[in-house]
Structures are given as C-alpha cells and as structure tokens.
C-alpha cells in the first residue's frame, strides 16, 4: 500500500510519514521515494536479558489454591465463574478505528496481541470491557462460564467457522456469589421463538441453544456493560494461565493469585 501511494501521481510523496526503526526493513526504500521519516523508536536490546520484576503474587497450581481456600473442583461444588481471554485481532473493544490505525503507525509492527497480552491489559486496567459481538442488537455484555476451569479448557474445540479455539487457557475466575451481586446472571437458552417471547430487558441474556452444536454445555453467564474488577478482592478471584513462564510475566501486575493449569 505504501509503494502504491508513493508511486501514485495524485499524492505528494511527502504526505507519507513513516516510522524509523531497525525493525522496519523497507524504510530506506520508502524515504528514497519521498516519504518523510517521522519518528525514531528505540530498538529493543535483545542481547541484554532483563531480570523478572519482584512480586509477592502467589503462583500455584489449581489444587493448591482450592486447598488453601477449602474449595472443590467438583462440577456441582465449583464456586467460580470463568472468563477466558483470546488473541486480539484489530482494535480493542473500547478503541476507535482511528486510534487503532494510529497505534499501528506509531509502533510500526504487527499489534495483534496474544491471549496473555489481552489478559495483562485486563489485569493492569482492572476492567473487563463489554462487547456486542455475540448478542442480537447493540447490547454490550461480558461473558463467563460456570464450568470448572480445567474441564472447560481441557475440552476446548477449534471452531473452524470462527477461525479460533472456543476457549484458551488464559483468563480470570471470579467467585460466583460475588458475581451475582455485580449483576451477572445465567443466560437463557432457547430457539428463535423463545427469543421473540422474551421481554426486551432479558433479550441480551439470550443464547440460541444450537442445532449443530449444543451451546447449553457452556453454561454461560452474562453481565451488561463493563465489569469493574477493582471491586473484587484478592481472595474472591484468581488469574489462570498455561505455564509458569506466563505466570511470571503477569505476576508483577496482578494482585490476584495466579494459577498454572495442567493443559
């Protein structure tokens, strides 16, 4: 796209500003065609390893956490709701298209963040941002499952029609009793006729039970709007990841304990 713009007589080449850094291998080519070197970004020094930050955050197994809290992993006694994160492709839910494009230009790199990056943003901001992608209409919701976390992530399935896994082994678990006080509630499963019969204020909580897939097995809960995680104490939630290395990346930012899953 840059080459086409710089060779198009309808545009002044100087209208193209380009980030200048070692990772941009085509910067000289574009500047030779008239682009303006816009900003210099210091390259990462990969030759100098950085020491992990000190953290008091506990990193432990699920068994250890449940033992500490005198809780059970059994399906009928599981006390948490689970929110899994996944790779971000495109703008954040609370980010405008313009801000996303500016981010691409400033960083001059691919900025699709993986599931750990998304989880780190949630931990740092202490907020879950709602989205209207899964509801009929414009209602923004956040989604959870009441299935035990290991049962949820160990049985994950790649959804070819979506081009992604249904669940990833990264996310946050919130105590169910607290979630209820914050406005979360189970979804209403049914068919199109059931949806049409619902009062308008209940329609954001509707989920089609499915024909090819049985979505009732997800045991989904939803809440309207963003969820303020600053309201949730350290002993009412935990973060979960797939490895000790991922836990160490998140520990300096997390005030909740971090569970490493056996996946």
């Amino acid at each position: 796209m840059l080459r086409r713009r710089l060779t198009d007589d309808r545009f002044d080449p100087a209208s193209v500003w380009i980030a200048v850094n070692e990772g941009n291998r085509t910067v000289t080519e574009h500047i030779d065609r008239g682009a303006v070197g816009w900003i210099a970004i210091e390259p990462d020094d990969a030759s100098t390893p950085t020491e992990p930050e000190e953290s008091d955050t506990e990193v432990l197994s699920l068994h250890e956490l449940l033992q500490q809290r005198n809780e059970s992993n059994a399906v009928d006694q599981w006390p948490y709701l689970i929110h899994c994160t996944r790779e971000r492709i495109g703008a954040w839910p609370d980010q405008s298209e313009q801000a996303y494009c500016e981010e691409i230009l400033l960083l001059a790199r691919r900025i699709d963040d993986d599931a750990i990056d998304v989880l780190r943003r949630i931990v740092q901001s202490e907020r879950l941002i709602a989205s209207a992608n899964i509801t009929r209409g414009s209602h923004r919701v956040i989604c959870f499952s009441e299935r035990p976390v290991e049962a949820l992530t160990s049985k994950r399935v790649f959804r070819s029609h979506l081009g992604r896994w249904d669940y990833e082994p990264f996310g946050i678990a919130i105590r169910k009793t607290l979630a209820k006080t914050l406005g979360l509630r189970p979804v209403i499963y049914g068919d199109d006729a059931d949806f049409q019969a619902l009062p308008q204020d209940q329609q954001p909580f509707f989920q089609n039970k499915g024909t090819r897939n049985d979505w009732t097995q997800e045991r989904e809960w939803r809440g309207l709007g963003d969820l303020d995680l600053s309201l949730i104490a350290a002993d009412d939630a935990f973060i979960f990841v797939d490895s000790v290395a991922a836990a160490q990346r998140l520990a300096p930012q997390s005030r909740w304990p971090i569970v490493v899953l056996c996946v």
Side-chain angles (χ1 to χ4, degrees):
M1 290 174 66
L2 286 172
R3 291 191 186 100
R4 289 175 61 185
R5 168 107 180 185
L6 289 168
T7 55
D8 192 324
D9 293 337
R10 294 174 297 171
F11 302 101
D12 179 1
S15 66
V16 177
W17 295 2
I18 188 166
V20 179
N21 62 31
E22 291 183 355
N24 192 342
R25 292 171 294 180
T26 59
V27 63
T28 302
E29 169 195 342
H30 297 320
I31 290 175
D32 287 345
R33 288 178 171 164
V36 176
W38 178 26
I39 185 172
I41 302 174
E42 289 294 328
D44 294 329
D45 187 358
S47 63
T48 307
T50 56
E51 293 293 328
E53 296 180 51
E54 294 288 335
S55 173
D56 295 328
T57 301
E58 283 190 288
V59 175
L60 62 176
S61 69
L62 181 62
H63 174 74
E64 290 169 333
L65 178 112
L66 295 176
Q67 194 172 47
Q68 281 184 11
R69 296 182 175 181
N70 194 28
E71 295 169 340
S72 172
N73 198 24
V75 173
D76 59 344
Q77 300 178 51
W78 176 249
Y80 296 96
L81 297 181
I82 303 302
H83 175 86
C84 292
T85 64
R86 59 172 57 94
E87 178 186 17
R88 173 187 64 130
I89 300 176
W92 295 103
D94 59 344
Q95 185 181 40
S96 69
E97 191 68 22
Q98 179 178 344
Y100 173 63
C101 292
E102 289 173 353
E103 187 181 4
I104 294 174
L105 291 171
L106 281 169
L107 297 181
R109 64 173 176 83
R110 180 180 179 271
I111 59 170
D112 294 339
D113 296 288
D114 62 21
I116 304 177
D117 295 319
V118 175
L119 182 55
R120 181 168 53 215
R121 187 178 193 256
I122 291 169
V123 168
Q124 289 175 330
S125 66
E126 296 197 345
R127 181 168 292 274
L128 279 177
I129 306 298
S131 169
N133 291 342
I134 63 166
T135 57
R136 305 187 186 194
S138 58
H139 295 284
R140 296 170 55 251
V141 300
I142 49 173
C143 302
F144 289 79
S145 171
E146 65 174 342
R147 291 179 62 191
V149 63
E150 288 185 332
L152 192 72
T153 56
S154 65
K155 302 296 184 182
R156 66 195 188 113
V157 175
F158 186 80
R159 304 293 182 185
S160 57
H161 66 292
L162 298 174
R164 59 171 171 76
W165 294 91
D166 52 359
Y167 294 104
E168 297 283 6
F170 304 93
I172 184 168
I174 299 171
R175 201 179 298 279
K176 191 186 302 184
T177 52
L178 175 63
K180 290 178 181 178
T181 69
L182 296 175
L184 275 72
R185 48 176 283 189
V187 302
I188 304 163
Y189 289 102
D191 54 26
D192 289 343
D194 296 320
F195 174 78
Q196 297 299 331
L198 285 175
Q200 193 169 7
D201 63 340
Q202 294 188 40
Q203 290 181 352
F205 298 93
F206 174 82
Q207 173 61 46
N208 195 296
K209 62 185 178 182
T211 51
R212 294 172 54 190
N213 299 299
D214 180 9
W215 300 118
T216 65
Q217 295 183 10
E218 294 190 341
R219 299 171 65 185
E220 184 182 348
W221 286 51
R222 289 180 190 168
L224 282 174
D226 298 350
L227 180 61
D228 184 358
L229 299 177
S230 69
L231 302 173
I232 300 176
D235 58 356
D236 280 327
F238 64 86
I239 302 300
F240 57 90
V241 295
D242 71 337
S243 66
V244 172
Q248 290 173 340
R249 285 176 59 184
L250 290 175
Q253 290 87 36
S254 179
R255 60 185 180 84
W256 300 286
I258 302 177
V259 164
V260 178
L261 299 177
C262 299
V263 294

Short mmCIF file of all heavy atoms in Angstrom, two decimals, residues 17 21 23 27 41 43 57 81 124 133 169 178 207 237 250 260:
data_model
loop_
_atom_site.label_atom_id
_atom_site.label_comp_id
_atom_site.label_asym_id
_atom_site.label_seq_id
_atom_site.Cartn_x
_atom_site.Cartn_y
_atom_site.Cartn_z
N TRP A 17 4.20 9.72 6.03
CA TRP A 17 5.14 9.74 7.15
C TRP A 17 5.35 8.29 7.60
O TRP A 17 4.40 7.54 7.76
CB TRP A 17 4.59 10.56 8.31
CG TRP A 17 4.42 12.02 8.00
CD1 TRP A 17 4.65 12.66 6.81
CD2 TRP A 17 3.95 13.03 8.89
NE1 TRP A 17 4.37 13.99 6.91
CE2 TRP A 17 3.94 14.25 8.18
CE3 TRP A 17 3.56 13.03 10.23
CZ2 TRP A 17 3.54 15.45 8.77
CZ3 TRP A 17 3.16 14.21 10.81
CH2 TRP A 17 3.15 15.41 10.10
N ASN A 21 12.78 2.76 12.41
CA ASN A 21 13.43 1.91 13.42
C ASN A 21 14.07 0.72 12.72
O ASN A 21 13.87 0.50 11.52
CB ASN A 21 12.45 1.47 14.50
CG ASN A 21 11.30 0.62 13.95
OD1 ASN A 21 11.47 -0.10 12.98
ND2 ASN A 21 10.14 0.70 14.57
N GLY A 23 13.51 -2.36 12.94
CA GLY A 23 12.60 -3.41 12.52
C GLY A 23 11.90 -3.12 11.21
O GLY A 23 11.33 -4.01 10.59
N VAL A 27 12.19 0.95 5.24
CA VAL A 27 12.12 2.39 5.47
C VAL A 27 12.97 3.18 4.48
O VAL A 27 12.54 4.23 3.96
CB VAL A 27 12.52 2.72 6.93
CG1 VAL A 27 13.96 2.32 7.22
CG2 VAL A 27 12.31 4.19 7.22
N ILE A 41 12.14 5.17 16.95
CA ILE A 41 11.77 4.35 18.10
C ILE A 41 12.98 3.54 18.51
O ILE A 41 13.61 2.87 17.68
CB ILE A 41 10.60 3.42 17.74
CG1 ILE A 41 9.40 4.24 17.27
CG2 ILE A 41 10.23 2.54 18.92
CD1 ILE A 41 8.25 3.41 16.76
N PRO A 43 15.20 0.66 19.46
CA PRO A 43 15.02 -0.79 19.32
C PRO A 43 15.20 -1.49 20.65
O PRO A 43 15.92 -1.02 21.54
CB PRO A 43 16.13 -1.19 18.33
CG PRO A 43 17.20 -0.14 18.55
CD PRO A 43 16.45 1.14 18.87
N THR A 57 2.96 -11.80 44.38
CA THR A 57 1.80 -12.55 43.89
C THR A 57 2.08 -14.05 43.94
O THR A 57 3.13 -14.50 43.47
CB THR A 57 1.45 -12.14 42.46
OG1 THR A 57 1.16 -10.75 42.43
CG2 THR A 57 0.25 -12.91 41.95
N LEU A 81 -16.97 -18.42 38.43
CA LEU A 81 -17.29 -18.19 37.03
C LEU A 81 -15.99 -17.89 36.30
O LEU A 81 -15.12 -17.21 36.84
CB LEU A 81 -18.26 -17.01 36.86
CG LEU A 81 -19.64 -17.15 37.48
CD1 LEU A 81 -20.47 -15.90 37.19
CD2 LEU A 81 -20.37 -18.39 36.96
N GLN A 124 -4.01 -5.10 34.40
CA GLN A 124 -3.49 -3.75 34.66
C GLN A 124 -4.62 -2.73 34.79
O GLN A 124 -4.58 -1.85 35.65
CB GLN A 124 -2.53 -3.34 33.54
CG GLN A 124 -1.21 -4.09 33.57
CD GLN A 124 -0.32 -3.76 32.38
OE1 GLN A 124 -0.79 -3.44 31.30
NE2 GLN A 124 0.98 -3.82 32.59
N ASN A 133 -20.55 -8.20 20.22
CA ASN A 133 -20.31 -9.12 19.11
C ASN A 133 -21.19 -10.37 19.15
O ASN A 133 -21.46 -10.97 18.11
CB ASN A 133 -18.84 -9.54 19.09
CG ASN A 133 -17.92 -8.41 18.70
OD1 ASN A 133 -18.37 -7.42 18.14
ND2 ASN A 133 -16.64 -8.54 19.02
N PRO A 169 -6.50 -21.27 27.53
CA PRO A 169 -6.15 -21.47 28.95
C PRO A 169 -5.58 -20.22 29.61
O PRO A 169 -4.56 -20.27 30.29
CB PRO A 169 -5.13 -22.61 28.88
CG PRO A 169 -4.48 -22.43 27.55
CD PRO A 169 -5.55 -21.94 26.62
N LEU A 178 -20.12 -13.57 44.51
CA LEU A 178 -19.81 -12.16 44.31
C LEU A 178 -20.30 -11.70 42.94
O LEU A 178 -20.84 -10.60 42.79
CB LEU A 178 -18.31 -11.93 44.43
CG LEU A 178 -17.82 -10.50 44.14
CD1 LEU A 178 -18.42 -9.51 45.13
CD2 LEU A 178 -16.30 -10.43 44.17
N GLN A 207 -29.29 -16.88 24.54
CA GLN A 207 -28.34 -17.59 23.69
C GLN A 207 -29.06 -18.75 23.00
O GLN A 207 -29.71 -19.56 23.69
CB GLN A 207 -27.15 -18.13 24.49
CG GLN A 207 -26.21 -19.02 23.71
CD GLN A 207 -25.57 -18.31 22.53
OE1 GLN A 207 -25.09 -17.19 22.69
NE2 GLN A 207 -25.56 -18.93 21.36
N ALA A 237 -11.08 -14.08 43.68
CA ALA A 237 -10.80 -14.35 42.26
C ALA A 237 -9.40 -14.94 42.13
O ALA A 237 -8.62 -14.97 43.09
CB ALA A 237 -10.91 -13.06 41.45
N LEU A 250 2.92 -12.12 34.26
CA LEU A 250 1.77 -11.40 34.80
C LEU A 250 1.90 -11.04 36.27
O LEU A 250 1.24 -10.11 36.75
CB LEU A 250 0.50 -12.24 34.61
CG LEU A 250 -0.02 -12.42 33.19
CD1 LEU A 250 -1.19 -13.37 33.18
CD2 LEU A 250 -0.44 -11.08 32.61
N VAL A 260 -1.45 -21.92 37.56
CA VAL A 260 -0.90 -22.53 36.35
C VAL A 260 -1.67 -23.82 36.10
O VAL A 260 -1.64 -24.75 36.92
CB VAL A 260 0.60 -22.82 36.50
CG1 VAL A 260 1.14 -23.50 35.25
CG2 VAL A 260 1.37 -21.52 36.77
#
